Amino acid sequence: RPVQVINLVCADSIEHRMLGLLAQKRSLAGEIIDGAGDLTSMPLPSGRRSLIEDMDTLTGDTVVVDTAVIDDVLPDTTVSDTVAVAEKPEPGESLKQDVLARWQDQFDLLELHGEGAEKTLFAVTSDPVGKQLEGDLDQQIKVNFPEQTPQLELIDRNTYQTIQRLIKAGVLSMGTTPAQTLHSTAKPTINPDAERRKRLLEVQKRIAATERQQRMATLLADGGFVVESLAPLTEGIETVLQALAFLYHKNSDMPVSAHVIESTLLPNAWLTEDAVKLVASLRADAGKLSEDAASDLLRQGHALFEYVAEVLNRQML
């Protein structure tokens, strides 16, 4: 039965660059070997320049031409003895292109360490290292460094992160050999001040959203429902606590724990001792309080909102 074959080729890969050459060979076979073409009208390159350009394509280096040999083959043309052509890419850059063309998302880092015969390619993979990948990468190194082939050192991302932590802790130290970074997916260093201000703006936004609960608590208290006003007041205060915890990368939709309040928010002056006691009282069974006790908690709650807003404004300056 008829079989349809579809070749899928990635752009800018080695296979992609081979397509043009393959098309030329098929055309040549069809027009000459199969006798399907007109030899007088075939667009074949001719002359010494075309020959040298073909040699340039094959070697990718400077071509020195023996004119005596060329004259025997193409007697009606002239050419200088030496033709300068584009130099081959630097081996490290060539290796980088080949590796990324084949394993685009599998490498976090490619570095060349050392010089001359003492070079080492240090590579970090995003996934655990497999024998197939290690063998293929070693082969690519030999192709791009045929004379002085670097030694390959290959580890995965988790191992690399462990090494970085040990270096930061002073357990290990970095070598002093020169290194050339061929490829790295490391993200740019985050500015701590800019990151903190961004979080402060988010905290400000979240706290501003509690104004509705504050107004609701005031309306209920003014209407004689003092005890009932504690429910929206408590909801607003819990939102404030979550916003402040977010500033210290403690993200959660659950109420902020007493431990975080006492170990983080209180020492950093976001809350006072009285505010901590207020939170504990509101989290207890506030519905059983008398109106006088509820009024006192309501007053303390509004004071807490004002205090946090004042501290936040100072932090934003």
Side-chain angles (χ1 to χ4, degrees):
R1 298 181 181 180
V3 176
Q4 183 180 21
V5 179
I6 301 176
N7 294 317
L8 302 180
V9 180
C10 295
D12 299 325
S13 64
I14 297 175
E15 291 79 5
H16 190 192
R17 295 195 294 269
M18 292 173 58
L19 288 179
L21 181 60
L22 181 60
Q24 292 179 6
K25 290 183 176 181
R26 285 176 175 170
S27 176
L28 189 63
E31 295 177 340
I32 294 181
I33 299 176
D34 295 338
D38 181 3
L39 294 179
T40 62
S41 61
M42 286 176 58
L44 293 175
S46 61
R48 297 186 187 184
R49 177 65 60 184
S50 297
L51 177 60
I52 293 172
E53 289 176 353
D54 290 342
M55 294 171 65
D56 174 20
T57 301
L58 293 174
T59 64
D61 205 344
T62 299
V63 179
V64 179
V65 182
D66 187 341
T67 55
V69 175
I70 298 297
D71 286 338
D72 290 340
V73 181
L74 302 170
D76 297 331
T77 60
T78 58
V79 68
S80 60
D81 290 346
T82 304
V83 180
V85 297
E87 296 181 356
K88 295 173 63 176
E90 191 271 332
E93 182 63 25
S94 177
L95 174 64
K96 167 189 171 182
Q97 293 175 3
D98 290 344
V99 169
L100 295 184
R102 186 167 183 178
W103 303 288
Q104 177 68 47
D105 301 324
Q106 296 187 43
F107 283 92
D108 291 347
L109 183 66
L110 291 172
E111 285 183 346
L112 271 176
H113 290 258
E115 296 179 342
E118 303 299 325
K119 276 189 177 181
T120 298
L121 178 70
F122 177 61
V124 180
T125 62
S126 56
D127 299 315
V129 179
K131 290 294 183 182
Q132 181 67 39
L133 175 61
E134 184 175 4
D136 291 347
L137 179 58
D138 188 62
Q139 183 63 32
Q140 286 292 336
I141 296 174
K142 293 176 181 178
V143 169
N144 288 279
F145 292 85
E147 297 180 359
Q148 294 180 333
T149 304
Q151 181 180 348
L152 174 63
E153 293 293 343
L154 188 61
I155 63 175
D156 59 57
R157 180 185 297 169
N158 291 335
T159 304
Y160 180 70
Q161 291 174 345
T162 300
I163 293 174
Q164 293 300 306
R165 288 197 298 270
L166 293 174
I167 292 174
K168 187 176 181 180
V171 178
L172 299 178
S173 60
M174 293 292 292
T176 58
T177 57
Q180 176 189 2
T181 301
L182 304 178
H183 168 69
S184 175
T185 59
K187 297 180 179 179
T189 302
I190 297 175
N191 185 334
D193 294 335
E195 176 66 15
R196 178 173 175 79
R197 182 165 183 82
K198 181 180 178 181
R199 286 186 170 268
L200 283 171
L201 289 172
E202 178 63 23
V203 170
Q204 189 178 51
K205 177 181 176 182
R206 295 186 185 188
I207 291 179
T210 65
E211 293 182 0
R212 182 175 180 276
Q213 286 91 348
Q214 296 180 54
R215 291 197 303 269
M216 180 63 70
T218 301
L219 287 174
L220 288 172
D222 292 344
F225 300 95
V226 181
V227 175
E228 289 78 4
S229 69
L230 295 181
L233 177 75
T234 302
E235 182 181 352
I237 290 177
E238 293 291 356
T239 300
V240 169
L241 295 176
Q242 289 177 348
L244 296 177
F246 167 79
L247 184 61
Y248 296 94
H249 303 272
K250 301 181 184 299
N251 307 332
S252 175
D253 294 332
M254 302 296 293
V256 178
S257 68
H259 172 73
V260 172
I261 293 174
E262 295 177 1
S263 65
T264 304
L265 302 184
L266 182 60
N268 286 282
W270 285 104
L271 298 176
T272 63
E273 292 283 357
D274 291 339
V276 175
K277 294 178 182 178
L278 169 64
V279 172
S281 298
L282 291 174
R283 288 180 173 179
D285 195 357
K288 296 181 180 180
L289 296 174
S290 65
E291 288 195 359
D292 290 340
S295 296
D296 186 51
L297 292 180
L298 184 63
R299 178 186 57 78
Q300 294 181 48
H302 287 303
L304 185 151
F305 284 116
E306 293 176 0
Y307 175 82
V308 172
E310 181 181 349
V311 175
L312 183 59
N313 288 334
R314 289 200 304 267
Q315 293 283 340
M316 294 293 293
L317 295 178

